[in-house]
């Protein structure tokens, strides 16, 4: 559960941040909400992933997200620009799932 939610959440963070980086639209509120959600999810995923998966996988995933954010990848996926806010909120939901898995690990419960 932790690994699947972590990878999905990091992918959503990367797509959201790449879309925001490449986009120049008038939708400032949607961009602000999406950016806030993506960066919050990024931090929560990084912390939860480090606790649940060790340092290597979260470190590589975080580096990949930051590299994808600064490349021209956003121009390729620009048709998805109207979905940047749902992608950011999806990343937040994945970060909550990662933390649920981490809390289950702390309590000794199965991760499902």
């Amino acid at each position: 559960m932790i690994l699947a939610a972590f990878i999905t959440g990091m992918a959503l963070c990367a797509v959201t941040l790449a879309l925001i980086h490449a986009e120049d639209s008038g939708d400032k509120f949607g961009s602000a909400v999406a950016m806030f959600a993506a960066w919050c999810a990024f931090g929560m995923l990084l912390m939860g992933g480090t606790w649940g998966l060790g340092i290597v996988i979260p470190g590589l995933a975080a580096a990949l997200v930051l590299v994808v954010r600064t490349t021209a990848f956003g121009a390729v996926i620009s048709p998805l620009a109207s979905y940047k806010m749902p992608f950011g909120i999806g990343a937040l939901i994945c970060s909550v799932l990662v933390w649920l898995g981490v809390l289950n690990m702390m309590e000794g419960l199965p991760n499902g």
Side-chain angles (χ1 to χ4, degrees), residues 19-33:
L19 285 171
I20 291 170
H21 186 72
E23 184 188 23
D24 290 330
S25 72
D27 183 21
K28 299 297 182 193
F29 179 73
S31 294
V33 171

Side-chain angles (χ1 to χ4, degrees), residues 19-82:
L19 285 171
I20 291 170
H21 186 72
E23 184 188 23
D24 290 330
S25 72
D27 183 21
K28 299 297 182 193
F29 179 73
S31 294
V33 171
M35 185 176 290
F36 177 75
W39 281 117
C40 286
F42 180 77
M44 288 173 57
L45 285 166
L46 196 56
M47 290 184 292
T50 303
W51 180 271
L53 302 171
I55 192 71
V56 175
I57 293 173
L60 291 174
L64 186 64
V65 166
L66 294 176
V67 166
V68 166
R69 177 183 167 262
T70 59
T71 62
F73 178 69
V76 175
I77 58 172
S78 61
L80 299 174
S82 61

